[in-house]
Structures are given as structure tokens and as C-alpha cells.
Amino acid sequence: LIGGSTAFNLLLWLVMFSNLASLYWLGRQLGISRVACLSGTVVFGWNSLLLSYGFASNISDLIHLWPYALSLGFLITGLKESQWIYGVYAGLCIGLGFLSCPYNFVLFIPALVLLLPWVFWQYGKESWRILLASACMGGVICAIYAWHLYAIMNAETSLVHTEDVQDVRHSYPF
């Protein structure tokens, strides 16, 4: 309808707007003023590395930051309001982050795991329900996606068949 390059550019603009909006919302959940959130969002969302590497090239691994900002925002809201449903929303966003870019998932999950001691120290033992809801929802989505990838990689006609990938990947000791 609108052409391939126009559709691609509109998609990139949508991702960029999603990043900016979710980063702004996360800042507001953290109690940061509107002006500071807007400034931080513009500086971070339009930094030169993200624009040149993510948007100006065909390597789009770094552009999907919105699921992680939303996940942290929902997690913070759930902890503040002691409502587990926000943990489900946080887990849904983590799952969407994994679907949008598995590389970012590998980078951000260790950071979220490192936040666990802080969460327990800051919010006490009652935070376990919210964290469990988040882990369950994110885990279900990630498991479904992993099963789908497994099926693709083991199909006989797959371009990313397990044996082919094994031949091009580094092996220990690199």
C-alpha cells in the first residue's frame, strides 16, 4: 500500500517514539520532574550511538529499548502500590523485549537480576508476589518463543539449521 521503504521508515519512527515515550514514563514512575524526564529522554533516546547504529544502519539490535523501560516502570508501580497485576505487565513487557530482540534480552536480564537484592531491601518480603508474577509471565512468553526457535532450527529446510549454525559459531576457547 505505501511501499517497502516508507513502511520500514514508519516502523522505525514508531519504535523511536515508543522508546522516547516509555523512557519518559519510566522517569515519571521514578519521581523525576517532567522537565528532567523530557531532557533525559531526548538525550538518551536520540543519542548518536543509538541513531547511527540502530536507525541509520541495518543493524537494529539496539533500537528496541521500550519493553525494558516499560517493564521497569510496571515493576516500580507494582512495588509501590503492592499490586501483583503490575508484575504481570512487567513480565509481559520482558517477554515482548525477548521477542523484539533476543540480544537485548541477554543484556538486560542480568541487570534485572542484579536489581533483586535492592528490591527486597527497599520493599521488603511482600515484593515476592510481584516479582513472581513478572517472572512467570515473562518465562511463559520466552518459553513459547524458545520452542518456536527450536522448531525452526531443527527443520530440515531451515536456513539456520542447528548443524549449519554450529559450523559458523565460535567454539571454546574462541
Side-chain angles (χ1 to χ4, degrees), residues 82-84 87-88 120 125-134:
S82 296
Q83 293 187 14
W84 64 270
V88 173
F120 283 118
K125 289 190 264 184
E126 291 302 315
S127 60
W128 71 269
R129 293 182 312 162
I130 295 146
L131 295 172
L132 182 63
S134 178

Side-chain angles (χ1 to χ4, degrees), residues 85-106:
I85 193 68
Y86 289 107
V88 173
Y89 299 152
L92 179 65
C93 291
I94 286 290
L96 289 174
F98 182 61
L99 294 177
S100 67
C101 181
Y103 296 116
N104 282 347
F105 180 79
V106 170

Side-chain angles (χ1 to χ4, degrees), residues 118-169:
W118 176 82
V119 168
F120 283 118
W121 174 72
Q122 189 75 21
Y123 294 99
K125 289 190 264 184
E126 291 302 315
S127 60
W128 71 269
R129 293 182 312 162
I130 295 146
L131 295 172
L132 182 63
S134 178
C136 287
M137 176 57 85
V140 165
I141 293 172
C142 291
I144 291 169
Y145 186 63
W147 177 77
H148 182 66
L149 283 179
Y150 177 79
I152 289 172
M153 291 183 75
N154 287 308
E156 290 293 325
T157 58
S158 176
L159 295 175
V160 288
H161 193 274
T162 310
E163 293 172 5
D164 297 331
V165 172
Q166 219 170 14
D167 291 339
V168 297
R169 292 289 181 206

Side-chain angles (χ1 to χ4, degrees), residues 5-16:
S5 63
T6 303
F8 181 75
N9 287 328
L10 287 175
L11 181 62
L12 287 180
W13 277 101
L14 177 67
V15 169
M16 187 184 297

